[in-house]
Amino acid sequence: DLSPIESFWSLLKRSVRKNLKPDDTLDRLESVLKEEWHNLRQETIDSIIGSKPSRIGQIIRSRGELTHY
């Protein structure tokens, strides 16, 4: 997917999973989500957005076939 938000959601999902237990409440989930979202570093955001031209180039070269992203 070329949408940067999909990459952010993937990172957030992994971070949240590391910090939740199966018996945690919805309030705990909300708290962890907010905390992990705020912990997302600007360098990470810049890197994801900066990788888009390369990803687009790979898709063009692969003529729309799957790439390693």
Side-chain angles (χ1 to χ4, degrees):
D1 195 319
L2 292 174
S3 174
I5 196 67
E6 296 301 328
S7 298
F8 300 136
W9 286 132
S10 179
L11 286 172
L12 184 62
K13 182 177 164 181
R14 286 193 302 264
S15 296
V16 167
R17 281 186 174 169
K18 289 179 189 176
N19 293 296
L20 279 182
K21 295 177 286 209
D23 60 340
D24 279 339
T25 64
L26 285 175
D27 287 337
R28 173 76 176 135
L29 171 61
E30 181 181 3
S31 174
V32 171
L33 279 167
K34 287 179 180 179
E35 182 179 336
E36 292 304 323
W37 182 259
H38 289 290
N39 287 339
L40 189 60
R41 296 178 22 194
Q42 186 63 48
E43 294 84 11
T44 302
I45 295 168
D46 294 344
S47 176
I48 290 170
I49 292 170
S51 73
K52 293 306 167 183
S54 173
R55 290 180 184 210
I56 291 168
Q58 285 189 2
I59 290 171
I60 290 169
R61 286 188 297 281
S62 73
R63 298 176 186 218
E65 297 296 322
L66 290 176
T67 66
H68 79 277
Y69 290 105

